[in-house]
Amino acid sequence: MEVSMDPRASETSPLLADGGSAGFGGRLSESLAKSQAESQVAKREDGSPYPLSAPVDSLGKLGMGVGLYFNFVFYFAFAMGLLALLSIPALVVNSMGGAAYDATEGLSGLRAAYVSWTLGNVREHSVLVHAILDTVCTLAVTAFLLKYRSKQEKS
């Protein structure tokens, strides 16, 4: 039994205008490629494709994994936004420190701001503030994961 070693021949043969093989002088048909691509698009019950603004709950009809993935991305983006808000006090405490200002004299713009927002700019007495903020962020991530898991177990 002989097996064809040209993988392109089996993949593109439905798209060839003359029914030949792509590796042996066949020409690809753009209209056949478009019609095959349109037939592979997931559609709603009425036959129209899903819009980009489709609600996350309706994506479950495309398969369990698709709905779960977009649901997780939605809630994870919300959690990351919340954590970004929780990290603002740490950035403020860092920027008020004065330990790294000598190092920023040769820097300008965004680099100088970045150095002044880091933990290296903080004096020893404000490290407790960072420990508290890190604990709050860790608890927020843990709460998010537990809430998301309990929500998934209910559905």
Side-chain angles (χ1 to χ4, degrees):
M1 181 171 157
E2 191 173 324
V3 178
S4 172
M5 298 306 287
D6 186 7
R8 296 176 297 163
S10 62
E11 292 175 4
T12 59
S13 57
L15 305 177
L16 295 174
D18 58 1
S21 174
F24 302 103
R27 293 180 310 149
L28 292 175
S29 170
E30 185 178 345
S31 62
L32 287 173
K34 283 183 180 180
S35 66
Q36 186 174 5
E38 288 174 2
S39 71
Q40 299 297 321
V41 173
K43 295 182 173 52
R44 296 188 287 187
E45 291 83 17
D46 62 357
S48 63
Y50 282 92
L52 291 177
S53 62
V56 175
D57 296 336
S58 70
L59 296 176
K61 296 175 185 172
L62 299 175
M64 180 182 284
V66 174
L68 288 174
Y69 172 75
F70 282 108
N71 196 5
F72 178 77
V73 167
F74 175 76
Y75 284 107
F76 195 70
F78 177 76
M80 290 297 109
L82 180 65
L83 291 175
L85 291 176
L86 286 174
S87 68
I88 288 175
L91 293 174
V92 170
V93 168
N94 289 346
S95 67
M96 291 187 328
Y101 282 120
D102 293 337
T104 61
E105 287 181 9
L107 301 176
S108 63
L110 189 58
R111 286 185 179 187
Y114 181 72
V115 169
S116 68
W117 292 338
T118 61
L119 189 58
N121 193 31
V122 177
R123 305 273 184 216
E124 292 83 20
H125 66 277
S126 62
V127 174
L128 179 63
V129 173
H130 286 282
I132 292 169
L133 291 173
D134 286 344
T135 304
V136 168
C137 287
T138 302
L139 291 175
V141 169
T142 304
F144 161 74
L145 291 174
L146 291 174
K147 182 172 172 75
Y148 185 79
R149 183 170 182 155
S150 69
K151 181 180 179 186
Q152 292 302 316
E153 287 176 354
K154 289 178 185 177
S155 58

